[in-house]
Amino acid sequence: MRTLEQLLLSSRPLSWINTAFPFAAAYYLATRELDVTFWLGTIYFLIPYNLAMYGINDIFDYESDLRNPRKGGVEGAVLDRTLHRTTIIAVLVTNIPFVVVLVLLGSPVSWLVLAVSLFAVVAYSAKGLRFKEVPFLDSITSSTHFVSPAAYGLALAGVVVEPSLVALLAGYFLWGIASHAFGAVQDVIADRAGGIASIGTVLGARATARFALLAYVIGGLLLLGTTWPGPLGALLVLPYVANVAPFWNVTDETAESANRGWKRFLWLNFLTGFLVTMLLIWYALSTPSVPENPLRASNCEYGGDFQGGQDGRSAF
């Protein structure tokens, strides 16, 4: 029971929705179907994917986690060394079956997107890669963890990339970069003590917090270039900007105080998720349903962003 509890804690249940929802929303709005692919993908990005992402991280960040006062709860487990091998086995057992089935259901393009997603999961933490210790690449890789499920859902649906869709994904990607950077601020002291480099330890707490705020702002501005009601999503960036703003002058010595903002960030995601859901429902009710088989439709649409290819099959 203790092992199961530790594995569950390591998978960060509070963050499960952050990867499952993007996939589910993207796939459903592109196909309007709750088919086997929808459910398999949603379940995969809900639990197995998060166990892989955070479990691998907890194994390779063990030394720094021991020195991090915020670890040991909903913000991350301090995974005992005796459970490291068990965690790797659990990751393989829970991930491989889903990945195999999703590959069989997909196309070469979706295989590529899934491969990038899984590589980012491993490369962020694993020894020999450790992208999390390369400033800026750490934030880019972290953002990939959350944007790639949406991109994968779109790839499975076979959508075509249009400018407004690029603006949407780019805005979301900058939101992810900003969120990771701000999260790194609170860990500056612990990461330095553990010998871990990050955007926070290299740039310093103050510069990193300011970078995060700027990335949020630019991400919000990009949403103004999306199809209606997408531009309303730009307003949802404002609470994140307000959350980071008090730490504009944070110092390395007071970096741990940013944990207050990080805790607000975790709960802010639920409010934002609710409001995004309302926008998506608005979109779904205001646009006609896609044809029964969107992968062979010539008029598959997602807010005017997704159009079928000339050969009658949508493409991504």
Side-chain angles (χ1 to χ4, degrees):
M1 180 62 73
R2 176 180 175 275
T3 298
L4 183 60
E5 180 182 344
Q6 286 296 301
L7 289 174
L8 183 65
L9 188 62
S10 183
S11 71
R12 314 291 199 278
L14 198 62
S15 297
W16 286 357
I17 193 67
N18 294 338
T19 48
F21 182 83
F23 169 84
Y27 183 84
Y28 175 75
L29 288 175
T31 65
R32 304 301 173 89
E33 292 185 359
L34 300 177
D35 54 14
V36 172
T37 303
F38 171 88
W39 291 112
L40 283 173
T42 300
I43 293 172
Y44 174 66
F45 286 109
L46 184 71
I47 303 176
Y49 180 83
N50 281 289
L51 178 59
M53 178 164 59
Y54 293 116
I56 293 173
N57 180 259
D58 285 344
I59 290 173
F60 289 98
D61 279 8
Y62 178 72
E63 292 299 329
S64 66
D65 286 348
L66 285 174
R67 299 173 174 84
N68 196 330
R70 72 185 183 88
K71 296 294 184 176
V74 296
E75 295 184 60
V78 178
L79 200 61
D80 191 273
R81 286 188 185 276
T82 60
L83 295 177
H84 288 186
R85 183 172 182 274
T86 300
T87 300
I88 292 296
I89 294 174
V91 167
L92 294 175
V93 169
T94 57
N95 277 259
I96 290 177
F98 279 96
V99 171
V100 169
V101 174
L102 288 171
V103 166
L104 293 175
L105 291 172
S107 65
V109 174
S110 69
W111 301 343
L112 177 61
V113 176
L114 184 59
V116 170
S117 183
L118 295 179
F119 175 74
V121 164
V122 175
Y124 184 75
S125 303
K127 185 177 181 180
L129 294 170
R130 296 292 286 177
F131 284 7
K132 71 170 295 175
E133 295 198 51
V134 182
F136 293 104
L137 182 58
D138 55 351
S139 294
I140 290 172
T141 307
S142 177
S143 186
T144 300
H145 294 160
F146 301 99
V147 179
S148 61
Y152 181 62
L154 299 176
L156 279 178
V159 302
V160 163
V161 177
E162 295 282 337
S164 58
L165 176 58
V166 173
L168 176 65
L169 292 178
Y172 183 23
F173 199 76
L174 278 173
W175 175 90
I177 287 176
S179 298
H180 174 272
F182 181 57
V185 173
Q186 64 192 322
D187 291 332
V188 166
I189 295 176
D191 283 349
R192 282 179 177 159
I196 294 178
S198 71
I199 188 172
T201 61
V202 172
L203 294 184
R206 180 176 300 172
T208 304
R210 293 179 177 183
F211 169 77
L213 191 148
L214 181 62
Y216 277 132
V217 171
I218 296 175
L221 291 175
L222 283 172
L223 293 182
L224 296 176
T226 62
T227 303
W228 186 262
L232 291 179
L235 297 175
L236 301 181
V237 173
L238 297 180
Y240 291 96
V241 172
N243 187 43
V244 175
F247 303 97
W248 181 260
N249 289 318
V250 68
T251 65
D252 290 1
E253 291 72 23
T254 61
E256 290 183 354
S257 67
N259 182 246
R260 299 195 307 271
W262 184 251
K263 288 179 178 178
R264 288 195 296 266
F265 166 84
L266 294 176
W267 292 108
L268 184 59
N269 284 345
F270 286 97
L271 173 61
T272 304
F274 169 76
L275 295 175
V276 168
T277 301
M278 295 301 100
L279 286 177
L280 294 177
I281 291 174
W282 180 0
Y283 163 76
L285 293 177
S286 63
T287 56
S289 299
V290 298
E292 183 176 350
N293 188 346
L295 295 183
R296 292 183 175 82
S298 60
N299 62 338
C300 174
E301 296 186 0
Y302 174 57
D305 295 329
F306 306 163
Q307 303 291 334
Q310 293 180 353
D311 63 351
R313 180 182 176 87
S314 298
F316 179 76

